[in-house]
Amino acid sequence: MIRFEHVTKRYPDGTTAVDDLSFEVAEGELVTLVGPSGCGKTTTMKMVNRLIEPTEGRILLDGEDISGIDPVKLRRRIGYVIQQVGLFPHKTVLENTATVPHLLGWKGAKAKDRAAELLDLVGLDPSVYGDRYPEQLSGGQRQRVGVARALAADPPVLLMDEPFGAVDPVVREHLQNEFRKLHQTLRKTVLFVTHDIEEAVRLGDRIAVYGAGRIEQFDPPATVLGAPATPYVADFVGADRGLKRLSVTPIELSDLDQPPVVHVDDPLPARLPDDARWAVVLDADDELRGWISASDAARGSGTVRDRTHRMEAWLPLGAPLRQAFATMLQHDAGWIAVIDEKSAGRFLGVLTPARLHEALRRSTAADAADVDRAEVTLHTVNTPG
Ligand code: ADP
Ligand code: MG
């Protein structure tokens, strides 16, 4: 969708902002450009909508060299969101959002309907916020209006230059989550600039890590965190990259242990299967009902149902390992149950702390070798004594 071919930008004063850059962004993909200040991210972005012209190389949009496209027409295909949103202070939120539809020649009511629909889409109730002026909004709400306005012409491409950089961390995380969901619905091709590695990891399908004027690594977040391509990247993503990686590594089937299982309608057994200390309790459809301990089972008559404890610590398959770890801590649980949301909550197995650690190590090795996680064998050094 967007393709850079050996693009270099040298400013008149001799600064080489971008040096021989080649990469491609697929249709519907969200790519984050991340790197320290001054490494050429904004320059890269502004070359896509021709606010800046490259010195060498070319940029293709949908296979078409953009140097041959009229800039005004080009920008209609590309939404642009920046940190200083640049809303018109004397226009209402609805009028600001309707700017682009108006420019496209839509008549009053149609443009307003479109604007209201977009405000709704970014989580601002048009009947509450539509008639306000920008100064009557919080920073986070202004950024939402900026996103709504950029989407107004329904462009296939969105450029976002540190759009959430000026809002406080809590609001920023909220905006990030919403934008991620919005992207999953709209499937625009997005280039998203940030200097914040956490943001880059949270949002990107792939991340381009910039050094000075060059891309040091262009990979999915888990790979950048698990197998940094250069010492520069390792340094940039930080010493806690293992922890960050938990957020982008999903629970897989091969990570799960199969504990002893009993069913709710079974008579209470004197002993649990395998003489285990506890067992998972399922119903007739293999859905999770809870757990039972060996001493519960040994006590009295009746069915398993009578002695089943509720199980609060469970997650769907595919949830990030970080959430699994947080759930263990929250419920002070030595394991969590993993279910299949796709088949009505069928129980799949349990994840233990040891298996979680193993999953992380395995996925790192798998990314480095470019194989499936299940194919990786770990060599563990046993501690002496
Ligand atoms: P980033 O967005 O990653 O912070 P920029 O793309 O804005 O980086 O800038 C990359 C480099 O180009 C920096 O060294 C910056 O000082 C320089 N630069 C940016 N714009 C200009 C300009 N108009 N003239 C000269 N140098 C510039
Ligand atoms: Mg910048």
Side-chain angles (χ1 to χ4, degrees):
M1 185 73 185
I2 304 171
R3 187 180 161 91
F4 275 62
E5 289 180 352
H6 301 287
V7 174
T8 294
K9 174 63 189 180
R10 236 171 272 110
Y11 285 108
D13 66 358
T15 309
T16 303
V18 166
D19 187 13
D20 192 23
L21 207 61
S22 296
F23 67 87
E24 191 161 356
V25 180
E27 187 171 344
E29 194 180 20
L30 198 171
V31 167
T32 48
L33 311 182
V34 67
S37 180
C39 66
K41 307 181 296 293
T42 295
T43 303
T44 304
M45 183 148 287
K46 285 184 169 172
M47 287 192 289
V48 178
N49 60 6
R50 296 193 62 190
L51 290 172
I52 294 176
E53 298 293 340
T55 317
E56 284 165 39
R58 55 178 203 157
I59 300 165
L60 308 178
L61 184 68
D62 239 351
E64 195 181 351
D65 187 337
I66 62 166
S67 66
I69 307 176
D70 172 57
V72 175
K73 290 204 177 111
L74 176 69
R75 284 171 208 153
R76 255 176 225 164
R77 290 159 65 184
I78 303 175
Y80 189 39
V81 190
I82 54 173
Q83 196 180 105
Q84 263 54 47
V85 187
L87 298 178
F88 300 112
H90 303 301
K91 288 188 173 183
T92 65
V93 164
L94 199 68
E95 287 161 356
N96 264 289
T97 313
T99 312
V100 180
H102 272 306
L103 289 178
L104 292 177
W106 296 20
K107 295 289 172 258
K110 194 178 165 208
K112 281 209 160 152
D113 284 352
R114 172 71 179 155
E117 182 188 313
L118 287 160
L119 287 174
D120 220 15
L121 192 67
V122 297
L124 291 176
D125 182 346
S127 66
V128 176
Y129 297 100
D131 293 331
R132 289 201 194 173
Y133 289 89
E135 63 168 19
Q136 298 169 312
L137 299 179
S138 71
Q141 289 165 341
R142 275 198 288 270
Q143 290 309 123
R144 286 172 200 223
V145 178
V147 173
R149 194 179 50 180
L151 290 169
D154 201 17
V157 174
L158 269 189
L159 305 179
M160 307 180 78
D161 195 345
E162 314 230 11
F164 309 142
V167 294
D168 68 72
V170 177
V171 176
R172 191 186 316 157
E173 191 167 341
H174 199 69
L175 289 173
Q176 287 164 354
N177 290 339
E178 282 185 3
F179 184 68
R180 181 80 226 170
K181 275 196 215 119
L182 190 64
H183 177 251
Q184 273 156 8
T185 326
L186 299 179
R187 282 285 144 201
K188 304 283 179 197
T189 306
V190 184
L191 268 186
F192 188 111
V193 162
T194 176
H195 60 266
D196 175 7
I197 183 70
E198 304 270 359
E199 181 164 81
V201 164
R202 245 182 237 140
L203 290 179
D205 296 317
R206 286 190 299 160
I207 309 179
V209 185
Y210 273 64
R214 296 176 151 274
I215 293 177
E216 299 263 335
Q217 186 166 11
F218 196 155
D219 275 318
T223 313
V224 170
L225 295 172
T230 63
Y232 170 87
V233 176
D235 192 44
F236 184 75
V237 298
D240 63 342
R241 62 192 169 85
L243 215 48
K244 292 191 183 106
R245 199 181 149 92
L246 284 175
S247 310
V248 293
T249 308
I251 304 171
E252 289 184 356
L253 261 184
S254 63
D255 301 328
L256 306 183
D257 279 339
Q258 294 306 323
V261 163
V262 292
H263 284 85
V264 271
D265 293 322
D266 294 346
L268 275 173
R271 293 187 154 169
L272 293 178
D274 304 331
D275 250 340
R277 286 189 297 118
W278 55 270
V280 167
V281 179
L282 305 181
D283 68 12
D285 297 322
D286 281 344
E287 283 174 38
L288 180 69
R289 279 307 171 87
W291 61 280
I292 188 169
S293 73
S295 53
D296 293 329
R299 228 180 309 139
S301 52
T303 60
V304 165
R305 186 192 308 272
D306 307 329
R307 303 274 171 179
T308 297
H309 301 269
R310 275 173 64 88
M311 180 71 204
E312 308 283 356
W314 61 269
L315 284 175
L317 190 72
L321 293 178
R322 182 190 154 106
Q323 206 180 342
F325 191 39
T327 304
M328 281 177 200
L329 294 176
Q330 185 190 347
H331 296 286
D332 194 18
W335 51 273
I336 58 165
V338 177
I339 63 158
D340 185 0
E341 270 187 332
K342 290 202 185 88
S343 66
R346 194 166 54 89
F347 172 77
L348 296 172
V350 301
L351 188 69
T352 63
R355 296 285 274 157
L356 188 152
H357 179 220
E358 210 179 280
L360 197 62
R361 291 179 61 205
R362 225 186 257 285
S363 72
T364 307
D367 279 350
D370 203 10
V371 297
D372 282 342
R373 197 193 306 172
E375 289 173 37
V376 175
T377 328
L378 289 177
H379 301 285
T380 304
V381 181
N382 290 316
T383 40

Coordinates of all heavy atoms in Angstrom, one line a residue, residues 169-245:
P169 N -0.8 10.1 31.0 CA -0.6 8.7 30.7 C -1.9 7.8 30.8 O -2.1 6.9 30.0 CB 0.4 8.2 31.8 CG 1.1 9.5 32.1 CD 0.1 10.6 32.0
V170 N -2.8 8.1 31.7 CA -4.0 7.3 31.9 C -4.9 7.5 30.6 O -5.4 6.5 30.0 CB -4.7 7.7 33.2 CG1 -6.0 6.9 33.3 CG2 -3.9 7.4 34.4
V171 N -5.1 8.8 30.3 CA -5.9 9.1 29.1 C -5.3 8.5 27.8 O -6.0 7.9 27.0 CB -6.2 10.6 28.9 CG1 -6.9 10.9 27.7 CG2 -6.9 11.1 30.2
R172 N -4.0 8.6 27.8 CA -3.2 8.1 26.6 C -3.5 6.6 26.4 O -3.8 6.1 25.3 CB -1.7 8.3 26.7 CG -1.0 8.1 25.5 CD 0.5 8.2 25.6 NE 0.8 9.4 26.4 CZ 2.0 9.6 27.1 NH1 2.9 8.6 27.1 NH2 2.2 10.7 27.8
E173 N -3.4 5.8 27.5 CA -3.6 4.4 27.4 C -5.0 4.1 26.9 O -5.3 3.2 26.1 CB -3.3 3.7 28.7 CG -3.3 2.2 28.6 CD -2.7 1.5 29.8 OE1 -2.0 2.1 30.6 OE2 -2.9 0.3 29.9
H174 N -6.0 4.9 27.4 CA -7.4 4.7 27.0 C -7.5 5.0 25.5 O -8.1 4.2 24.8 CB -8.2 5.7 27.9 CG -9.6 5.4 27.9 ND1 -10.1 4.3 28.6 CD2 -10.7 6.0 27.3 CE1 -11.4 4.3 28.4 NE2 -11.8 5.3 27.6
L175 N -6.9 6.1 25.1 CA -7.0 6.4 23.7 C -6.3 5.4 22.8 O -6.8 5.0 21.7 CB -6.3 7.8 23.4 CG -7.0 9.0 23.9 CD1 -6.2 10.3 23.7 CD2 -8.4 9.2 23.2
Q176 N -5.2 4.8 23.3 CA -4.5 3.8 22.5 C -5.4 2.6 22.4 O -5.5 2.0 21.3 CB -3.2 3.4 23.3 CG -2.1 4.4 23.2 CD -1.0 4.2 24.2 OE1 -1.2 3.3 25.1 NE2 0.0 4.9 24.1
N177 N -6.0 2.1 23.5 CA -6.9 1.0 23.4 C -8.1 1.2 22.4 O -8.4 0.3 21.6 CB -7.4 0.6 24.8 CG -6.3 0.1 25.7 OD1 -5.3 -0.4 25.2 ND2 -6.5 0.2 27.0
E178 N -8.7 2.4 22.5 CA -9.8 2.7 21.6 C -9.3 2.7 20.2 O -10.0 2.3 19.3 CB -10.4 4.0 22.0 CG -11.3 3.9 23.2 CD -11.9 5.2 23.5 OE1 -11.8 6.2 22.7 OE2 -12.7 5.3 24.5
F179 N -8.2 3.3 20.0 CA -7.7 3.4 18.6 C -7.4 2.1 18.0 O -7.7 1.8 16.8 CB -6.5 4.4 18.5 CG -6.1 4.6 17.1 CD1 -6.9 5.3 16.2 CD2 -4.9 4.0 16.6 CE1 -6.6 5.4 14.8 CE2 -4.6 4.1 15.2 CZ -5.4 4.8 14.4
R180 N -6.8 1.2 18.8 CA -6.5 -0.2 18.4 C -7.8 -0.9 18.0 O -7.9 -1.5 16.9 CB -5.9 -0.9 19.6 CG -5.4 -2.3 19.4 CD -4.1 -2.4 18.7 NE -4.3 -3.4 17.6 CZ -3.5 -3.7 16.7 NH1 -2.4 -3.0 16.5 NH2 -3.7 -4.6 15.8
K181 N -8.9 -0.7 18.7 CA -10.2 -1.3 18.4 C -10.7 -0.7 17.1 O -11.2 -1.4 16.3 CB -11.2 -1.1 19.5 CG -11.1 -2.2 20.6 CD -12.3 -2.2 21.5 CE -11.9 -2.5 22.9 NZ -12.3 -1.4 23.9
L182 N -10.6 0.6 17.1 CA -11.1 1.3 15.9 C -10.4 0.8 14.6 O -11.0 0.6 13.6 CB -10.9 2.8 16.1 CG -11.5 3.8 15.1 CD1 -13.1 3.7 15.2 CD2 -11.1 5.2 15.3
H183 N -9.1 0.6 14.8 CA -8.3 0.2 13.6 C -8.8 -1.2 13.2 O -8.8 -1.5 12.0 CB -6.8 0.2 13.9 CG -6.0 -0.4 12.8 ND1 -5.4 -1.6 12.9 CD2 -5.8 0.1 11.6 CE1 -4.8 -1.8 11.7 NE2 -5.0 -0.8 10.9
Q184 N -9.1 -2.1 14.2 CA -9.6 -3.4 13.8 C -10.9 -3.4 13.1 O -11.1 -4.3 12.2 CB -9.7 -4.3 15.1 CG -8.3 -4.9 15.4 CD -8.2 -5.3 16.9 OE1 -9.1 -5.2 17.7 NE2 -7.0 -5.7 17.3
T185 N -11.7 -2.4 13.3 CA -13.0 -2.3 12.6 C -12.8 -1.6 11.2 O -13.3 -2.1 10.2 CB -13.9 -1.3 13.4 OG1 -13.7 -1.5 14.8 CG2 -15.4 -1.6 13.0
L186 N -12.0 -0.5 11.2 CA -11.9 0.2 10.0 C -10.8 -0.3 9.0 O -10.9 -0.1 7.8 CB -11.6 1.7 10.3 CG -12.6 2.4 11.1 CD1 -12.2 3.9 11.4 CD2 -14.0 2.4 10.4
R187 N -9.8 -0.9 9.5 CA -8.7 -1.5 8.7 C -8.1 -0.5 7.7 O -7.9 -0.8 6.5 CB -9.3 -2.7 7.9 CG -9.4 -3.9 8.8 CD -8.0 -4.5 9.0 NE -7.9 -5.1 10.4 CZ -6.7 -5.3 11.0 NH1 -5.6 -5.1 10.4 NH2 -6.7 -5.8 12.2
K188 N -7.8 0.7 8.2 CA -7.1 1.7 7.4 C -5.6 1.3 7.5 O -5.2 0.6 8.4 CB -7.2 3.1 8.0 CG -8.6 3.6 8.2 CD -9.2 4.1 6.9 CE -10.6 4.5 7.1 NZ -11.3 4.6 5.8
T189 N -4.9 1.7 6.5 CA -3.4 1.6 6.5 C -2.9 2.7 7.3 O -3.1 3.9 7.0 CB -2.8 1.6 5.1 OG1 -3.5 0.6 4.3 CG2 -1.4 1.3 5.1
V190 N -2.2 2.4 8.4 CA -1.8 3.5 9.3 C -0.3 3.6 9.5 O 0.4 2.5 9.8 CB -2.5 3.4 10.7 CG1 -2.1 4.5 11.6 CG2 -4.0 3.2 10.6
L191 N 0.3 4.7 9.4 CA 1.7 5.0 9.9 C 1.5 5.9 11.1 O 1.0 6.9 11.1 CB 2.5 5.8 8.8 CG 3.3 5.0 7.8 CD1 4.1 6.0 6.9 CD2 4.2 4.0 8.4
F192 N 2.1 5.4 12.2 CA 1.9 6.0 13.5 C 3.2 6.3 14.1 O 4.0 5.4 14.4 CB 1.1 5.1 14.4 CG 0.6 5.7 15.7 CD1 -0.7 5.9 15.9 CD2 1.5 5.9 16.7 CE1 -1.2 6.4 17.1 CE2 1.1 6.5 17.9 CZ -0.3 6.7 18.1
V193 N 3.6 7.6 14.3 CA 4.9 8.0 14.8 C 4.8 8.2 16.3 O 3.8 8.8 16.8 CB 5.3 9.3 14.2 CG1 6.4 10.0 15.0 CG2 5.8 9.1 12.8
T194 N 5.7 7.7 17.1 CA 5.8 7.9 18.5 C 7.3 7.8 18.9 O 8.1 7.2 18.3 CB 5.0 6.8 19.3 OG1 5.1 7.0 20.7 CG2 5.3 5.4 18.9
H195 N 7.6 8.4 20.1 CA 8.9 8.2 20.6 C 8.9 7.2 21.8 O 9.9 6.9 22.5 CB 9.6 9.5 21.1 CG 8.8 10.2 22.1 ND1 7.9 11.2 21.8 CD2 8.8 10.1 23.4 CE1 7.3 11.6 22.9 NE2 7.9 11.0 23.9
D196 N 7.6 6.7 22.1 CA 7.4 5.9 23.2 C 7.3 4.4 22.9 O 6.4 4.0 22.2 CB 6.1 6.4 23.9 CG 5.6 5.6 25.1 OD1 6.4 4.7 25.5 OD2 4.5 5.8 25.5
I197 N 8.3 3.6 23.3 CA 8.3 2.2 22.9 C 7.1 1.5 23.4 O 6.5 0.6 22.7 CB 9.6 1.5 23.3 CG1 9.7 0.1 22.9 CG2 9.8 1.6 24.8 CD1 9.9 -0.1 21.4
E198 N 6.5 1.8 24.6 CA 5.3 1.1 25.1 C 4.2 1.3 24.1 O 3.4 0.4 23.8 CB 4.9 1.7 26.4 CG 6.0 1.7 27.5 CD 5.9 0.4 28.3 OE1 5.1 -0.4 28.1 OE2 6.8 0.3 29.2
E199 N 4.0 2.6 23.6 CA 3.0 2.9 22.7 C 3.2 2.2 21.4 O 2.2 1.6 20.8 CB 2.9 4.4 22.5 CG 1.8 4.8 21.5 CD 1.5 6.3 21.6 OE1 2.3 7.1 21.0 OE2 0.6 6.7 22.3
A200 N 4.4 2.1 20.9 CA 4.7 1.4 19.7 C 4.3 0.0 19.8 O 3.8 -0.6 18.8 CB 6.2 1.6 19.3
V201 N 4.7 -0.6 20.9 CA 4.4 -2.1 21.1 C 2.9 -2.4 21.2 O 2.4 -3.3 20.7 CB 5.2 -2.5 22.4 CG1 4.6 -3.9 22.9 CG2 6.6 -2.6 22.1
R202 N 2.2 -1.5 21.9 CA 0.8 -1.7 22.2 C 0.0 -1.6 20.9 O -1.0 -2.3 20.7 CB 0.3 -0.6 23.1 CG -0.2 -1.2 24.4 CD -0.7 -0.2 25.3 NE 0.0 -0.2 26.5 CZ 0.4 0.9 27.2 NH1 0.1 2.1 26.8 NH2 1.0 0.7 28.3
L203 N 0.4 -0.7 20.0 CA -0.4 -0.4 18.8 C 0.0 -1.1 17.5 O -0.9 -1.5 16.7 CB -0.4 1.1 18.5 CG -1.1 2.0 19.5 CD1 -1.0 3.4 19.1 CD2 -2.6 1.6 19.6
G204 N 1.3 -1.3 17.4 CA 1.7 -1.7 16.0 C 1.5 -3.2 15.7 O 1.7 -4.1 16.5
D205 N 1.1 -3.4 14.4 CA 1.2 -4.8 13.9 C 2.7 -5.1 13.7 O 3.1 -6.2 13.9 CB 0.5 -4.9 12.6 CG -1.0 -4.7 12.7 OD1 -1.6 -5.2 13.7 OD2 -1.6 -4.0 11.9
R206 N 3.4 -4.1 13.2 CA 4.8 -4.1 13.1 C 5.4 -2.8 13.6 O 4.7 -1.7 13.5 CB 5.3 -4.4 11.7 CG 5.0 -5.9 11.3 CD 5.7 -6.2 9.9 NE 5.2 -5.4 8.9 CZ 5.8 -5.2 7.7 NH1 7.0 -5.7 7.5 NH2 5.3 -4.4 6.8
I207 N 6.6 -2.8 14.0 CA 7.3 -1.6 14.5 C 8.6 -1.4 13.7 O 9.3 -2.3 13.4 CB 7.8 -1.8 16.0 CG1 6.7 -2.3 16.8 CG2 8.4 -0.5 16.5 CD1 7.1 -2.5 18.3
A208 N 8.7 -0.1 13.2 CA 10.0 0.3 12.6 C 10.8 1.0 13.7 O 10.4 2.1 14.1 CB 9.8 1.2 11.4
V209 N 11.9 0.5 14.1 CA 12.7 1.1 15.1 C 13.8 2.0 14.4 O 14.6 1.4 13.7 CB 13.4 0.1 16.1 CG1 14.2 0.9 17.2 CG2 12.4 -0.8 16.7
Y210 N 13.7 3.3 14.6 CA 14.6 4.2 14.0 C 15.9 4.4 14.8 O 15.8 4.7 16.0 CB 14.0 5.6 13.7 CG 13.2 5.7 12.5 CD1 12.1 4.9 12.3 CD2 13.6 6.6 11.5 CE1 11.3 5.0 11.1 CE2 12.8 6.7 10.3 CZ 11.7 5.9 10.1 OH 11.0 6.0 9.0
G211 N 17.0 4.4 14.1 CA 18.3 5.0 14.6 C 18.4 6.3 13.9 O 17.3 6.8 13.4
A212 N 19.5 6.9 13.8 CA 19.6 8.2 13.1 C 19.4 8.1 11.6 O 20.2 7.6 10.8 CB 21.0 8.8 13.3
G213 N 18.2 8.4 11.2 CA 17.8 8.5 9.7 C 17.7 7.1 9.1 O 17.4 7.0 7.9
R214 N 17.8 6.0 9.9 CA 17.7 4.7 9.3 C 16.8 3.8 10.2 O 16.6 4.0 11.3 CB 19.1 4.0 9.3 CG 20.1 4.7 8.4 CD 21.4 4.0 8.6 NE 22.1 4.2 7.3 CZ 22.0 3.4 6.3 NH1 21.3 2.3 6.3 NH2 22.7 3.6 5.2
I215 N 16.2 2.8 9.5 CA 15.5 1.8 10.3 C 16.4 0.7 10.7 O 17.1 0.0 9.9 CB 14.3 1.2 9.5 CG1 13.3 2.3 9.2 CG2 13.6 0.1 10.2 CD1 12.1 1.9 8.3
E216 N 16.5 0.5 12.0 CA 17.4 -0.6 12.6 C 16.7 -1.9 12.6 O 17.3 -3.0 12.5 CB 17.8 -0.2 14.0 CG 18.6 1.1 14.1 CD 20.1 0.9 14.1 OE1 20.5 -0.2 14.5 OE2 20.8 1.8 13.7
Q217 N 15.4 -1.9 12.8 CA 14.6 -3.2 12.8 C 13.2 -2.9 12.4 O 12.6 -1.9 12.8 CB 14.7 -3.8 14.2 CG 14.1 -5.2 14.2 CD 14.4 -6.0 15.5 OE1 15.0 -5.5 16.4 NE2 14.1 -7.3 15.5
F218 N 12.6 -3.8 11.6 CA 11.2 -3.7 11.2 C 10.5 -5.0 11.4 O 10.7 -5.9 10.5 CB 11.2 -3.2 9.7 CG 9.9 -2.6 9.2 CD1 9.9 -1.8 8.2 CD2 8.7 -3.0 9.8 CE1 8.7 -1.2 7.7 CE2 7.5 -2.4 9.4 CZ 7.5 -1.6 8.3
D219 N 9.9 -5.2 12.5 CA 9.4 -6.5 12.9 C 8.1 -6.4 13.7 O 7.8 -5.3 14.3 CB 10.4 -7.3 13.7 CG 11.4 -8.0 12.8 OD1 11.0 -8.7 11.8 OD2 12.6 -8.0 13.1
P220 N 7.4 -7.5 13.9 CA 6.3 -7.4 14.9 C 6.8 -7.1 16.3 O 8.0 -7.4 16.6 CB 5.7 -8.9 14.9 CG 6.1 -9.4 13.6 CD 7.5 -8.8 13.3
P221 N 6.0 -6.6 17.2 CA 6.4 -6.2 18.5 C 7.1 -7.3 19.3 O 8.2 -7.0 19.9 CB 5.1 -5.8 19.2 CG 4.2 -5.4 18.1 CD 4.5 -6.2 16.9
A222 N 6.6 -8.5 19.2 CA 7.1 -9.6 20.0 C 8.6 -9.9 19.6 O 9.4 -10.2 20.4 CB 6.3 -10.8 19.9
T223 N 8.8 -9.7 18.3 CA 10.2 -10.0 17.8 C 11.2 -8.9 18.2 O 12.3 -9.2 18.6 CB 10.1 -10.1 16.2 OG1 9.1 -11.0 15.9 CG2 11.4 -10.7 15.7
V224 N 10.7 -7.7 18.1 CA 11.6 -6.5 18.5 C 11.9 -6.7 19.9 O 13.1 -6.5 20.3 CB 10.9 -5.2 18.2 CG1 11.6 -4.0 18.8 CG2 10.7 -5.0 16.7
L225 N 11.0 -7.1 20.8 CA 11.3 -7.2 22.2 C 12.1 -8.5 22.5 O 12.9 -8.5 23.4 CB 10.0 -7.2 23.0 CG 9.2 -6.0 23.0 CD1 7.8 -6.1 23.6 CD2 9.9 -4.8 23.7
G226 N 11.8 -9.6 21.8 CA 12.4 -10.8 22.1 C 13.7 -11.0 21.4 O 14.6 -11.7 22.0
A227 N 13.9 -10.5 20.2 CA 15.1 -10.7 19.5 C 15.5 -9.4 18.8 O 15.4 -9.2 17.6 CB 14.9 -11.8 18.4
P228 N 16.0 -8.4 19.7 CA 16.4 -7.1 19.1 C 17.5 -7.4 18.1 O 18.4 -8.2 18.3 CB 16.9 -6.3 20.3 CG 16.5 -7.1 21.5 CD 16.2 -8.5 21.1
A229 N 17.4 -6.7 16.9 CA 18.3 -7.0 15.8 C 19.7 -6.4 16.1 O 20.7 -7.0 15.5 CB 17.8 -6.4 14.5
T230 N 19.8 -5.4 16.8 CA 21.1 -4.8 17.1 C 21.2 -4.3 18.5 O 20.2 -4.2 19.2 CB 21.3 -3.5 16.2 OG1 20.3 -2.5 16.6 CG2 21.2 -3.8 14.7
P231 N 22.4 -4.1 19.0 CA 22.6 -3.6 20.4 C 21.8 -2.3 20.6 O 21.3 -2.0 21.6 CB 24.1 -3.4 20.5 CG 24.7 -4.3 19.5 CD 23.8 -4.4 18.4
Y232 N 21.8 -1.4 19.5 CA 21.1 -0.2 19.6 C 19.6 -0.4 19.9 O 19.0 0.2 20.8 CB 21.2 0.6 18.3 CG 20.3 1.8 18.2 CD1 20.7 3.0 18.7 CD2 19.0 1.6 17.6 CE1 19.8 4.1 18.6 CE2 18.1 2.7 17.6 CZ 18.5 3.9 18.1 OH 17.7 5.0 18.0
V233 N 19.0 -1.4 19.2 CA 17.6 -1.7 19.4 C 17.4 -2.2 20.9 O 16.4 -1.8 21.6 CB 17.0 -2.7 18.4 CG1 15.6 -3.1 18.7 CG2 17.1 -2.1 17.0
A234 N 18.3 -3.1 21.3 CA 18.2 -3.7 22.6 C 18.2 -2.6 23.7 O 17.4 -2.6 24.6 CB 19.3 -4.7 22.9
D235 N 19.1 -1.7 23.5 CA 19.2 -0.5 24.4 C 17.9 0.3 24.4 O 17.4 0.7 25.4 CB 20.4 0.3 24.0 CG 20.8 1.3 25.1 OD1 20.8 0.9 26.2 OD2 21.0 2.4 24.7
F236 N 17.4 0.5 23.1 CA 16.2 1.4 23.0 C 15.0 0.8 23.6 O 14.2 1.5 24.3 CB 16.0 1.7 21.5 CG 14.8 2.7 21.4 CD1 15.0 4.1 21.7 CD2 13.6 2.3 20.9 CE1 14.0 5.0 21.5 CE2 12.6 3.2 20.8 CZ 12.7 4.5 21.1
V237 N 14.8 -0.5 23.5 CA 13.6 -1.1 24.0 C 13.7 -1.3 25.5 O 12.7 -1.5 26.2 CB 13.2 -2.5 23.3 CG1 12.9 -2.2 21.9 CG2 14.2 -3.5 23.5
G238 N 14.9 -1.3 26.1 CA 15.0 -1.2 27.5 C 15.3 -2.6 28.2 O 15.0 -3.6 27.6
A239 N 15.9 -2.5 29.4 CA 16.3 -3.7 30.1 C 15.1 -4.6 30.5 O 15.2 -5.8 30.7 CB 17.1 -3.3 31.3
D240 N 13.9 -3.9 30.6 CA 12.7 -4.7 31.0 C 12.0 -5.2 29.8 O 10.8 -5.4 29.9 CB 11.8 -3.8 31.9 CG 11.3 -2.6 31.1 OD1 11.9 -2.3 30.0 OD2 10.3 -2.0 31.5
R241 N 12.7 -5.4 28.7 CA 11.9 -5.9 27.5 C 11.3 -7.2 27.7 O 10.2 -7.5 27.1 CB 12.9 -5.9 26.3 CG 14.0 -6.8 26.4 CD 15.0 -6.5 25.2 NE 16.2 -7.2 25.4 CZ 16.5 -8.4 25.0 NH1 15.5 -9.1 24.4 NH2 17.6 -9.0 25.2
G242 N 11.8 -8.1 28.6 CA 11.2 -9.3 28.9 C 9.8 -9.1 29.4 O 8.8 -9.8 29.1
L243 N 9.7 -8.2 30.3 CA 8.4 -7.8 30.9 C 7.4 -7.2 29.9 O 6.3 -7.6 29.9 CB 8.7 -6.8 32.0 CG 7.8 -6.9 33.3 CD1 7.7 -8.3 33.9 CD2 8.5 -5.9 34.3
K244 N 8.0 -6.3 29.0 CA 7.1 -5.8 28.0 C 6.6 -6.9 27.1 O 5.5 -6.8 26.6 CB 7.9 -4.8 27.2 CG 8.3 -3.5 27.9 CD 8.8 -2.4 27.0 CE 9.3 -1.2 27.7 NZ 10.7 -1.1 27.8
R245 N 7.5 -7.8 26.8 CA 7.1 -8.9 25.9 C 6.0 -9.7 26.4 O 5.2 -10.3 25.6 CB 8.4 -9.8 25.7 CG 8.3 -10.6 24.4 CD 9.5 -11.5 24.3 NE 9.1 -12.7 23.6 CZ 9.2 -12.8 22.3 NH1 9.7 -11.9 21.6 NH2 8.8 -14.0 21.8

